[in-house]
Amino acid sequence: MKYFLDTNIYRNLARAIPLKDIKSLAEKIRNQELKLGVTSGFPIVVAMELIHHLEKTDPEREECFKALCLLFDHSKNYNASKNTFHGAFFPPLNVILPKYFFNKNGPFLEAYKVIIALTKDLTNNHDLENIYRFQNEIEVVREQNIFEKKELYDNIQEYLKDLNGGTLDWQYFSKNKIERKKWFREMQTGRSFAFLAEGLMIRAYKIMGKKYERTDENYAQFYKFHNDFFPAIAMTSIILEQIGHGTLAISNVYDHRWNTVLDISMMFGAIYNSKCDNIIFVTEENKMHLFFEMNNMDNQILKLDEFKKRFSL
C-alpha cells in the first residue's frame, strides 16, 4: 500500500511547523509507515505546484518551500553505499496516457523526472536561499504548469468558438438559455465526460505520433478508460459548470479554477498506480471524495484528519 498526498495536504502539514522541524516530521511519518507496512511515492504534479510558488516574490514561497522539503524527505529512499535516491514516483497525465493505451512511457517521462532532481537541489540542507539560485528553473516549471492547463483551456476555447460561429464568447451559455440547458443536461447524463474521455484518448495517440480512428477495438479501450478513470474525468465538472454559468473569470487561464487541471492529473496518477499498488489518495477536496465514492472507490481516498490518526500525528 502506498500513500499519495496532494499539494494542500503537504502544505497543511508543514504550515505551523518551523523549517528546522520539517525533517523530524518527515522521519516521524516514515517511521510510522514502517510500522504500518506501507510506503509513499514522489508525486511529480505536487512538486511542480509547490515549485511554482518558489518564485522570489511569491508571498507563499516560505510555506511552499517547507512543504516541498517535507515532500522530498518523506518520499525519498536513500542508498548510502551508492549515494543515490530511489523509490516510487507518481507521474502526470501526459505520461500516464501513453502508458495506459500503449504500454509506452512516451516522450515526456524524462522531462518530468527532471522535477525530482530539481526538488533535491532546491531542498538541499533545507536552505531557503537555494530558491534564489534556481529562479530560471522555477520559471520553467511555472510555464509548464500553465502549459498543462492550456491543453484543456484551448480545447474548450475552440469548442466555444465553433458554437458561436467562430467568435469566442466565454459567456455564450449565460446568453443562450436553450444551449445552457443542453450543456448542463449533457453533464448530468455523462455525455460531456464521455466526450472529454475520448479527447484524452486522442491526446494519447497524438503523444505517440499515431492516428486515432473510431473502431470497435478502440471503443472497447475507450469504455474501459472512461470507467477506470471516471473520478478524475468527472472533476472537469468544476470548470464545465463555471462555463455553463458564464463566469467571465474562467476566460483567464491564470484563474484559480484552472488549478483543477492539475488536480485531475494527480487523480490520474493515484488511480493509475492503484492498478499495481493499493494507492490511498489523501486530499481535503470534497469533489474528489464525491467522485471516488460514486465510483465505489471510497476506500482509496482519505481526508487529512484520518491520515493524522493513522500516522499518530
Side-chain angles (χ1 to χ4, degrees):
M1 179 184 291
K2 288 186 174 70
Y3 281 79
F4 184 138
L5 281 60
D6 82 356
T7 308
N8 285 327
I9 295 298
Y10 278 111
R11 290 185 64 168
N12 283 329
L13 288 170
R15 182 166 295 139
I17 297 175
L19 181 57
K20 65 182 178 64
D21 293 336
I22 291 294
K23 185 175 181 180
S24 296
L25 174 59
E27 288 176 353
K28 184 176 183 180
I29 296 173
R30 286 172 63 84
N31 288 336
Q32 193 64 17
E33 285 176 345
L34 289 172
K35 289 180 183 178
L36 295 173
V38 301
T39 59
S40 58
F42 185 100
I44 299 285
V45 177
V46 174
M48 290 175 67
E49 281 202 286
L50 293 173
I51 292 170
H52 182 100
H53 290 290
L54 299 187
E55 193 273 331
K56 61 185 177 183
T57 62
D58 194 305
E60 299 176 8
R61 65 188 180 280
E62 291 188 17
E63 177 177 296
C64 289
F65 180 74
K66 289 193 297 180
L68 189 67
C69 290
L70 178 59
L71 183 159
F72 188 68
D73 286 357
H74 166 228
S75 62
K76 74 183 180 185
N77 287 295
Y78 179 60
N79 185 321
S81 64
K82 296 182 179 179
N83 190 30
T84 58
F85 293 95
H86 63 94
F89 68 92
F90 303 121
L93 178 59
N94 283 338
V95 175
I96 292 167
L97 289 175
K99 191 69 175 176
Y100 182 89
F101 287 107
F102 303 105
N103 198 28
K104 302 284 186 182
N105 288 326
F108 298 121
L109 179 60
E110 293 305 315
Y112 284 118
K113 280 185 176 179
V114 171
I115 299 298
I116 301 175
L118 177 59
T119 300
K120 176 181 179 296
D121 291 337
L122 286 166
T123 60
N124 187 41
N125 294 323
H126 289 193
D127 184 356
L128 183 61
E129 293 299 310
N130 292 338
I131 71 173
Y132 300 105
R133 295 197 297 273
F134 290 95
Q135 286 297 298
N136 289 339
E137 290 84 353
I138 290 167
E139 182 57 30
V140 170
V141 173
R142 289 167 66 90
E143 290 173 359
Q144 181 61 30
N145 283 336
I146 296 299
F147 173 79
E148 307 264 340
K149 298 172 187 179
K150 275 186 67 63
E151 288 188 287
L152 178 59
Y153 175 91
D154 289 345
N155 287 341
I156 290 175
Q157 188 170 248
E158 289 304 312
Y159 182 71
L160 289 172
K161 284 182 181 178
D162 289 343
L163 284 176
N164 199 34
T167 301
L168 177 62
D169 185 355
W170 287 90
Q171 295 183 305
Y172 173 80
F173 289 111
S174 63
K175 299 173 182 176
N176 295 272
K177 291 184 178 180
I178 294 175
E179 291 295 323
R180 183 172 179 270
K181 286 182 179 178
K182 180 182 176 184
W183 178 259
F184 282 103
R185 184 170 63 248
E186 290 188 348
M187 284 179 60
Q188 291 169 351
T189 61
R191 186 176 177 184
S192 297
F193 302 136
F195 173 76
L196 286 165
E198 186 177 31
L200 290 171
M201 188 173 176
I202 293 169
R203 189 196 299 185
Y205 275 72
K206 286 182 178 178
I207 289 172
M208 296 305 296
K210 296 178 179 291
K211 183 181 179 182
Y212 173 78
E213 295 179 350
R214 286 184 169 179
T215 63
D216 290 343
E217 182 181 355
N218 280 349
Y219 178 77
Q221 203 173 21
F222 154 78
Y223 184 78
K224 184 176 185 301
F225 172 73
H226 176 272
N227 289 341
D228 284 348
F229 292 100
F230 178 77
I233 295 165
M235 272 295 288
T236 56
S237 63
I238 292 175
I239 294 171
L240 300 183
E241 285 172 2
Q242 296 301 318
I243 291 168
H245 290 307
T247 304
L248 190 57
I250 207 80
S251 65
N252 185 348
V253 74
Y254 291 92
D255 183 79
H256 68 91
R257 296 170 186 85
W258 288 103
N259 290 339
T260 300
V261 173
L262 301 180
D263 292 337
I264 292 166
S265 188
M266 276 186 257
M267 291 175 76
F268 265 91
I271 294 168
Y272 177 77
N273 283 275
S274 287
K275 304 306 171 186
C276 52
D277 292 306
N278 184 11
I279 304 296
I280 305 296
F281 190 46
V282 187
T283 180
E284 288 287 279
E285 175 55 62
N286 289 326
K287 280 274 190 179
M288 291 185 181
H289 282 266
L290 172 64
F291 292 131
F292 267 76
E293 289 167 8
M294 285 174 61
N295 223 41
N296 297 316
M297 297 166 67
D298 46 307
N299 62 333
Q300 292 178 228
I301 192 165
L302 280 184
K303 289 214 168 187
L304 179 58
D305 284 346
E306 181 59 31
F307 176 80
K308 285 183 173 180
K309 288 178 185 176
R310 292 190 185 188
F311 286 80
S312 303
L313 299 178

